[in-house]
């Protein structure tokens, strides 16, 4: 595996490749990331991964400085997966000048849910993803469905900018007890780790409640959301949101949408102790 930090060197190595598949990451790789590498290989060759902890998507009180960085372990895992190039730029490599040009997603998608609680997050995500696409110039890029809203925003960005990149979604990888794998899971204490799967169980219970409704109404969905919020708070969680939304645009479903059978998804973000976990479940 070649490890490259310089953009021009990366382009030299990939010149003439028209089937490159790409997996962008922030490192501290786990089985969820590695499953993305395997899926990428099904769509193209060579497989390029990137590791870059992107300052632009962290808020002033978030964990940029303490975000887990495990480069050597990550390199070992990527080599075992047969990744061709690891693009691991420094901030000076990727942002040689201040990144004054930014990509701002539409408010109706970028400023809700995660965007409401992490202002500017998706602007930082879109900016770095667009720049990484420019560096790697892949035909395919793989993103995990755990970050449901991010996947949707990146897919729409690629479409609206007519980027020649197919965005491929990958299913969420979970531990045996149901907890979605995340680099931030290492922040959990042993007692918090034992409690953490309750988030996914709550989503599953909500899904069964929605499917069991004789008639889907907006008020019935709001009641299910409110009950779930209370139940998680009772268990000691601090939910930012637990919301039932439309799969297509993450908007709140109207009665007309429900009557037409619009597909739904439950999305959530909640703090357990100091660790913020996100998850989702399609209905």
């Amino acid at each position: 595996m070649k490890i490259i930090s310089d953009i021009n060197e990366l382009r030299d190595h990939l010149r003439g490749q028209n089937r490159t598949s790409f997996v962008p990451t922030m490192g501290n790789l786990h089985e969820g990331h590695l499953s993305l590498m395997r899926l990428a290989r099904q769509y193209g060759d060579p497989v390029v991964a990137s590791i870059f902890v992107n300052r632009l998507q962290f808020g002033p009180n978030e964990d940029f400085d303490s975000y887990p960085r495990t480069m050597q372990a990550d390199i070992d895992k990527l080599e075992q997966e047969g990744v061709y190039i690891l693009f691991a730029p420094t901030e000076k490599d990727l942002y040689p000048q201040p990144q004054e040009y930014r990509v701002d997603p539409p408010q109706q998608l970028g400023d809700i849910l995660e965007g409401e609680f992490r202002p500017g997050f998706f602007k930082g995500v879109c900016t770095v993803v667009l720049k990484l696409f420019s560096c790697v110039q892949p035909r395919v890029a793989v993103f995990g469905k755990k970050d449901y809203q991010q996947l949707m925003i990146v897919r729409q960005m690629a479409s609206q900018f007519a980027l020649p990149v197919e965005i491929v979604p990958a299913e969420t990888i979970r531990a045996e007890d149901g907890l979605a794998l995340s680099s931030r899971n290492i922040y959990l204490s042993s007692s918090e780790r034992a409690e953490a799967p309750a988030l996914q169980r709550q989503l599953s219970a909500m899904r069964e409640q929605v499917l069991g409704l004789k008639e889907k109404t907006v008020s019935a969905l709001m009641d299910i959301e409110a009950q779930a919020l209370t139940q998680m708070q009772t268990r000691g969680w601090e939910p930012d949101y637990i919301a039932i939304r439309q799969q297509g645009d993450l908007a709140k479903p109207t009665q007309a949408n429900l009557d037409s059978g619009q597909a739904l998804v439950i999305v959530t973000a909640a703090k357990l102790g100091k660790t913020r976990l996100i998850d989702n479940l399609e209905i």
Side-chain angles (χ1 to χ4, degrees):
M1 182 177 71
K2 297 178 175 63
I3 303 171
I4 299 174
S5 61
D6 181 77
I7 294 173
N8 290 326
E9 183 183 353
L10 175 72
R11 287 174 173 165
D12 286 343
H13 273 89
L14 292 174
R15 186 168 287 114
Q17 300 284 357
N18 57 15
R19 295 185 64 249
T20 300
S21 56
F22 177 46
V23 183
T25 83
M26 291 205 302
N28 192 33
L29 304 182
H30 51 66
E31 181 58 29
H33 294 110
L34 302 182
S35 72
L36 304 184
M37 309 298 164
R38 296 168 200 143
L39 182 60
R41 178 163 286 102
Q42 296 178 29
Y43 284 85
D45 184 67
V47 175
V48 177
S50 68
I51 293 177
F52 182 71
V53 183
N54 177 42
R55 188 185 297 271
L56 299 185
Q57 69 194 64
F58 286 79
N61 297 313
E62 294 185 341
D63 58 342
F64 174 79
D65 290 326
S66 61
Y67 192 86
R69 292 162 170 84
T70 55
M71 182 61 75
Q72 187 54 56
D74 294 344
I75 289 171
D76 295 341
K77 291 173 183 176
L78 293 175
E79 286 182 332
Q80 290 175 7
E81 293 299 329
V83 169
Y84 175 59
I85 289 177
L86 167 60
F87 180 45
T90 66
E91 284 193 296
K92 183 174 284 189
D93 289 316
L94 203 60
Y95 302 132
Q97 298 134 3
Q99 189 66 37
E100 296 171 340
Y101 287 83
R102 305 289 179 96
V103 181
D104 202 354
Q107 290 183 347
Q108 67 269 21
L109 185 55
D111 291 350
I112 63 172
L113 302 170
E114 283 295 283
E116 177 183 351
F117 288 92
R118 302 182 68 187
F121 171 67
F122 287 118
K123 183 185 292 189
V125 168
C126 287
T127 300
V128 75
V129 168
L130 183 61
K131 193 154 193 179
L132 289 169
F133 283 175
S134 175
C135 296
V136 178
Q137 300 180 23
R139 186 184 69 83
V140 168
V142 179
F143 288 80
K145 289 175 71 172
K146 181 176 75 72
D147 299 285
Y148 204 89
Q149 189 174 3
Q150 174 179 278
L151 169 63
M152 185 173 295
I153 286 174
V154 169
R155 178 181 278 157
Q156 291 192 15
M157 179 185 74
S159 174
Q160 289 198 16
F161 279 110
L163 302 178
V165 184
E166 178 187 356
I167 307 300
V168 173
E171 294 297 329
T172 301
I173 303 300
R174 300 181 180 276
E176 290 185 6
D177 57 10
L179 177 64
L181 299 188
S182 168
S183 296
R184 289 186 168 97
N185 289 351
I186 65 169
Y187 296 156
L188 296 167
S189 68
S190 57
S191 60
E192 290 167 348
R193 177 60 186 83
E195 167 63 20
L199 189 63
Q200 194 272 339
R201 293 198 298 269
Q202 183 67 68
L203 299 189
S204 296
M206 292 174 70
R207 183 178 185 272
E208 293 307 310
Q209 286 179 283
V210 173
L211 293 175
L213 291 172
K214 293 182 179 179
E215 181 181 358
K216 289 187 179 69
T217 65
V218 172
S219 61
L221 297 188
M222 291 177 65
D223 287 343
I224 292 172
E225 290 176 347
Q227 292 169 15
L229 193 69
T230 299
Q231 289 169 2
M232 294 306 291
Q233 289 171 334
T234 300
R235 297 184 67 99
W237 292 71
E238 297 178 34
D240 284 342
Y241 58 85
I242 302 178
I244 302 171
R245 297 297 178 93
Q246 297 179 158
Q247 284 187 27
D249 57 9
L250 291 181
K252 296 178 180 179
T254 65
Q255 192 57 52
N257 298 142
L258 296 175
D259 292 342
S260 68
Q262 182 71 247
L264 304 173
V265 61
I266 310 167
V267 288
T268 186
K271 286 183 180 176
L272 182 59
K274 295 182 179 180
T275 306
R276 188 174 185 272
L277 302 177
I278 64 171
D279 207 341
N280 64 79
L281 188 62
E282 293 177 331
I283 300 177

